Amino acid sequence: MLSIIEQIKQGQLWDFHGGIHPEENKTISNQAAIQQAGIPSQLVLPLKQHIGGKGDILVSVGDVVLKGQPLTQGNIAMCVPVHAPTSGRITAIEPRTVAHPSGLTDLCIVIESDGEDRWIEDRTPFDDFSSVDPIDLIERIRQSGISGMGGAGFPTSRKIQSGIGKAEMLIINAAECEPYITADDRLMREHAEEIIDGIKILQHILTPKVCIIAIEDNKPEAVKALNQAVTDHDNIIIRVIPTKYPSGGSRQLTKIITGQEVPANGRSTDIGVIVQNVGTVFAIKRAICDAEPLIERIVTLTGNSMSTPGNLWVRLGTCIDYLMELVGYKADKKHPRIIMGGSLMGFTLPHQQVPITKITNCIITPDKKELPLYNHEMACIRCSSCADACPTSLLPQQLYWYSKSEDYDKCNEYNLADCIECGACAYVCPSEIPLVQYYRQAKSEIYSRKQDALAAERAKLRFEEKNARLERDKLERENKFKQAAENRRKEMKTESKGGDDAIAAAIARAKAKQAEAAKSETSVPDNSEMAKLREERKQQARERKAKLAEETTATDSDKSDKKDAVAAAIARAKARKAAQAEEKTETPVISEENNQNTEESADPKKAAVAAAIARAKARKAAQAEEKTETPVTSEENNQNTEESADPKKAAVAAAIARAKARKAALAEEKTETPVTSEENNQNTEESADPKKAAVAAAIARAKARKAAQENNKKEE
């Protein structure tokens, strides 16, 4: 490295690949001194004006703020706060259009100025920064909200901190290579001493071996002013480099000064070099020596559509329409355009209500002749002009195809991340293809997908850590239970005499409980109360069955008695009819029988006995007929055998048999000896009542005796 430093001191320079020499157009705005733009009535401050994250909002709508008061705060390295550019009141915290090629909105703090421009009281500058610890200086730079003012917007405190102990060479980028922009040129002309003070602060923090101010040869007045401000013992070298675009790029400038290439996907600090913009150095001096946060910057206002172009000190948050009134903007009627940034790396604004931010260095309002507006792109003719002009030695044509087809893996393979979006490829393209727009879109998509992948990875890690924590808790519980069981076993061994016997008994009890639990799971438990209830219900069912059987037997006996009386009446009727027939047809009865009949008729008791005998004989004859006429089948025999085994079934079977016999007797009576209606009625009534049947039988006997007596008289 020492040899390189010696070569640098001797004036050795190198060159980088590609590059272009566009028309500079710097004389439009660098002839007049820097003017104050004043304080507009309203300031719109985006929360994010740098690379990194947004800070936390410290104010609310309606709050009164002072100049230099922090509006946000951040505790991470890639976050710097935003400060109030003037005193006033917070009127809104809402999304507004921000300075970005997408033209989208972002959260902004809107301040209504009170016109007093009052500073905050808590301002403590470092009078002698050389006696202050470098860490404290870096913290002051971070709290002052300083980020790279050359266009990238990288947090300055983070870059400086990463270079401590690594940076052997400090390069101050004063090239300002892009056409139209003259903000750094006028800053170096008018504030060269303050820039040198800022460089000394960085030297105190980083302790580099050499510091080089790189400036293009198209700024002779700035070179002269810097040479007057630098002394021999400052260890600062002013190196004038050829005018070539984009020599102001960090990688390209490092190559020009040191001859070394910054590795792909790396930074200049990887080779011991740290690069800072000259405007950033001036802001560092203001923050350390004057206790002024970054609340304003120099903006170049240029273009043929302006009446009075030049450079202005503009408060951050000032809208473009306020500045256009100051410079006398006359919009082109057919193609009005306002470009933020240079003619090569800038982008067209959607309207004039876009605010100035920390990285805004130029506003261009060209007419149609100055910067022609191309309405369409043509097909690529594969001329390779873009590859020849690329300062980072990329293949713009291949990146164009892969970006257009959304093949982002190929874009990464061809190192799209190394593209500095200088616009040199689009400038030389004969087909007028807006290559930088395709690259920006592809970079945004790659970044978005990368963030999604990181979020998914973080979620996965959280999930795995949660599972690991749950597993650890489970193992701890199991170990705790095991330890408790071991302690109990030890206690049982020491307290009980049996020792192992006590343990075996405990194990046996545990096994018995497990067996009982398993048995209870497979079989339904029998409750003693439920068993008693079931037994009572069974007893009640048995009693109901016995009662029903008794009622059935009694009913059958009553029915059999009634039916027997009917059968007796029928038998008596048959006997009377047979007697009458015999009396009419047969010979007269012999004297002995007549005497007997006479005696029976003379004696009522004998007549009753004879009638009873006749009834008995009739019943016996009827039973004999039933046995002969209605033989029982084998099925009935089996049934009767089963019924005889069971008394209840036998009683029921007997009742059924009697019913069948009575039915057969009635059928036989109807066919053989039809009874008159009068007799049927009489028999029915007699069968209904046993007493009436007996009376009827007595009457019948009396009539029979009377008829016999009359017959005897006639015969005599």
Side-chain angles (χ1 to χ4, degrees):
M1 191 68 183
L2 291 175
S3 60
I4 295 176
I5 293 176
E6 291 177 355
Q7 293 178 15
I8 293 172
K9 290 181 179 180
Q10 294 176 2
Q12 178 69 36
L13 293 176
W14 287 264
D15 195 7
F16 60 90
H17 177 272
I20 57 177
H21 295 83
E23 188 177 356
E24 296 180 2
N25 294 322
K26 292 181 179 289
T27 57
I28 300 175
S29 58
N30 67 355
Q31 301 302 316
I34 304 172
Q35 303 294 325
Q36 287 289 338
I39 304 172
S41 60
Q42 186 183 79
L43 296 171
V44 180
L45 296 165
L47 298 186
K48 184 177 179 181
Q49 303 182 28
H50 59 279
I51 295 175
K54 300 177 183 178
D56 299 326
I57 300 176
L58 300 176
V59 294
S60 302
V61 176
D63 291 351
V64 176
V65 295
L66 298 176
K67 182 180 179 181
Q69 178 179 338
L71 305 179
T72 64
Q73 67 175 1
N75 297 323
I76 58 177
M78 293 297 291
C79 179
V80 294
V82 176
H83 299 77
T86 187
S87 59
R89 186 173 60 90
I90 305 296
T91 59
I93 301 176
E94 61 187 11
R96 295 285 185 95
T97 304
V98 296
H100 193 270
S102 64
L104 300 178
T105 61
D106 200 356
L107 192 62
C108 300
I109 298 175
V110 181
I111 299 177
E112 183 180 352
S113 175
D114 57 7
E116 298 180 3
D117 202 28
R118 291 177 296 159
W119 275 98
I120 56 175
E121 297 179 358
D122 186 15
R123 297 174 60 198
T124 55
F126 293 116
D127 296 331
D128 185 10
F129 61 83
S130 61
S131 61
V132 181
D133 188 274
I135 301 301
D136 295 335
L137 294 177
I138 293 174
E139 182 62 20
R140 170 64 68 86
I141 292 171
R142 189 181 74 84
Q143 294 295 340
S144 298
I146 299 175
S147 61
M149 300 177 68
F154 195 89
T156 303
S157 59
R158 177 63 175 171
K159 180 183 286 189
I160 295 173
Q161 191 172 11
S162 65
I164 295 178
K166 296 181 180 179
E168 296 182 356
M169 186 181 302
L170 174 63
I171 299 177
I172 305 302
N173 186 354
E176 198 173 43
C177 58
E178 191 165 5
Y180 287 95
I181 305 175
T182 60
D184 292 345
D185 184 11
R186 293 304 312 183
L187 177 65
M188 289 184 287
R189 292 185 192 184
E190 300 180 21
H191 300 278
E193 293 182 357
E194 293 183 77
I195 293 172
I196 299 301
D197 291 339
I199 294 173
K200 291 178 180 180
I201 294 172
L202 292 177
Q203 287 177 324
H204 173 67
I205 296 173
L206 298 171
T207 63
K209 295 179 179 179
V210 64
C211 178
I212 302 168
I213 300 176
I215 183 171
E216 286 187 336
D217 56 9
N218 60 355
K219 303 174 182 63
E221 292 84 356
V223 173
K224 182 179 179 180
L226 291 173
N227 283 324
Q228 293 176 356
V230 174
T231 60
D232 295 336
H233 62 275
D234 290 336
N235 194 23
I236 298 175
I237 300 175
I238 300 175
R239 181 68 64 233
V240 179
I241 62 175
T243 300
K244 184 180 179 181
Y245 181 82
S247 60
S250 176
R251 294 172 181 268
Q252 288 70 38
L253 189 60
T254 302
K255 179 63 181 296
I256 293 172
I257 299 299
T258 66
Q260 299 183 26
E261 293 279 356
V262 178
N265 299 322
R267 302 184 185 280
S268 59
T269 53
D270 297 336
I271 58 174
V273 177
I274 186 169
V275 181
Q276 288 289 352
N277 180 264
V278 66
T280 306
V281 174
F282 178 79
I284 291 173
K285 184 270 173 183
R286 287 283 182 95
I288 300 299
C289 300
D290 303 321
E292 293 183 9
L294 182 57
I295 58 175
E296 64 179 355
R297 68 157 298 150
I298 299 175
V299 179
T300 300
L301 299 173
T302 183
N304 292 338
S305 298
M306 293 182 183
S307 301
T308 57
N311 291 277
L312 301 178
W313 281 106
V314 182
R315 301 289 175 96
L316 302 182
T318 302
C319 291
I320 301 299
D321 56 352
Y322 174 80
L323 298 176
M324 293 298 100
E325 292 179 2
L326 292 179
V327 296
Y329 170 60
K330 297 178 181 179
D332 192 329
K333 295 181 180 179
K334 293 184 178 180
H335 303 286
R337 280 190 299 167
I338 298 177
I339 299 173
M340 180 173 285
S343 59
L344 294 174
M345 298 186 67
F347 53 90
T348 302
L349 298 176
H351 50 75
Q352 297 185 27
Q353 281 70 44
V354 178
I356 297 295
T357 62
K358 296 177 183 180
I359 59 176
T360 303
N361 55 4
C362 182
I363 300 294
I364 305 175
T365 57
D367 56 17
K368 187 177 180 180
K369 294 181 180 179
E370 188 176 4
L371 290 177
L373 181 64
Y374 302 108
N375 296 323
H376 64 281
E377 64 178 85
M378 294 175 283
C380 176
I381 61 174
R382 303 177 182 271
C383 63
S384 74
S385 297
C386 55
D388 296 337
C390 180
T392 54
S393 302
L394 298 177
L395 297 176
Q397 178 183 341
Q398 299 297 326
L399 291 174
Y400 162 68
W401 292 116
Y402 295 139
S403 299
K404 191 173 183 179
S405 61
E406 299 182 357
D407 190 351
Y408 301 121
D409 293 335
K410 282 291 186 180
C411 289
N412 289 327
E413 183 179 345
Y414 280 79
N415 301 316
L416 177 63
D418 290 340
C419 175
I420 62 175
E421 301 177 16
C422 64
C425 54
Y427 179 81
V428 299
C429 181
S431 298
E432 302 175 5
I433 300 174
L435 297 171
V436 178
Q437 295 184 17
Y438 287 104
Y439 303 156
R440 285 174 177 169
Q441 184 177 0
K443 283 184 177 181
S444 299
E445 185 64 26
I446 292 171
Y447 177 79
S448 177
R449 294 187 179 187
K450 184 178 179 180
Q451 294 301 314
D452 293 341
L454 291 175
E457 185 65 23
R458 287 193 295 268
K460 180 182 178 181
L461 291 176
R462 289 196 300 269
F463 177 74
E464 292 176 352
E465 290 175 357
K466 178 183 177 182
N467 289 339
R469 185 177 66 255
L470 294 176
E471 188 66 24
R472 288 195 302 270
D473 294 343
K474 182 180 178 182
L475 292 176
E476 289 177 0
R477 289 194 300 270
E478 291 178 354
N479 293 332
K480 183 178 178 181
F481 294 151
K482 289 180 181 179
Q483 187 64 33
E486 184 67 25
N487 294 336
R488 286 195 298 271
R489 284 194 292 271
K490 290 180 180 180
E491 291 175 358
M492 292 172 66
K493 285 182 179 180
T494 55
E495 293 177 359
S496 63
K497 295 180 180 180
D500 295 336
D501 295 337
I503 295 173
I507 294 172
R509 286 195 299 273
K511 289 182 178 180
K513 288 181 180 180
Q514 291 178 357
E516 185 178 354
K519 183 177 180 181
S520 62
E521 291 178 358
T522 55
S523 62
V524 179
D526 189 6
N527 195 331
S528 59
E529 295 181 359
M530 294 296 293
K532 290 179 181 179
L533 182 61
R534 287 195 295 271
E535 187 64 28
E536 290 177 359
R537 289 181 178 176
K538 289 180 180 179
Q539 184 63 26
Q540 292 175 1
R542 287 195 293 269
E543 291 176 357
R544 285 196 297 272
K545 288 181 180 179
K547 187 176 180 180
L548 180 62
E550 290 177 359
E551 291 176 355
T552 304
T553 305
T555 304
D556 292 341
S557 62
D558 293 340
K559 291 181 179 180
S560 63
D561 291 340
K562 293 179 181 180
K563 291 179 180 179
D564 291 342
V566 173
I570 293 171
R572 288 195 296 273
K574 288 182 178 181
R576 285 195 296 272
K577 189 173 181 180
Q580 290 176 2
E582 288 178 358
E583 288 176 356
K584 290 180 180 181
T585 56
E586 293 181 357
T587 58
V589 183
I590 58 174
S591 60
E592 186 176 356
E593 291 178 352
N594 289 335
N595 292 332
Q596 187 177 359
N597 292 334
T598 303
E599 291 176 356
E600 291 176 357
S601 62
D603 191 354
K605 293 181 180 180
K606 292 181 178 180
V609 173
I613 293 169
R615 288 195 298 274
K617 290 180 179 180
R619 282 196 298 273
K620 189 173 182 180
Q623 291 176 357
E625 290 178 0
E626 290 175 359
K627 291 180 180 180
T628 56
E629 291 178 1
T630 58
V632 182
T633 63
S634 62
E635 183 178 356
E636 291 176 347
N637 290 333
N638 294 333
Q639 184 177 3
N640 293 333
T641 304
E642 294 175 356
E643 292 173 353
S644 62
D646 190 351
K648 295 180 180 180
K649 293 183 178 180
V652 174
I656 294 171
R658 287 195 296 273
K660 290 181 178 180
R662 286 193 294 272
K663 186 175 181 181
L666 290 173
E668 186 176 354
E669 288 175 1
K670 290 180 181 179
T671 54
E672 293 181 356
T673 56
V675 184
T676 62
S677 61
E678 183 178 357
E679 290 176 347
N680 290 335
N681 294 333
Q682 184 177 0
N683 293 334
T684 303
E685 292 176 356
E686 290 175 355
S687 64
D689 191 354
K691 293 181 180 180
K692 290 182 179 181
V695 172
I699 294 171
R701 288 193 298 273
K703 288 182 178 181
R705 285 195 297 272
K706 187 176 181 180
Q709 289 175 3
E710 289 179 354
N711 290 330
N712 291 332
K713 287 179 182 181
K714 288 180 180 180
E715 290 177 356
E716 291 176 354

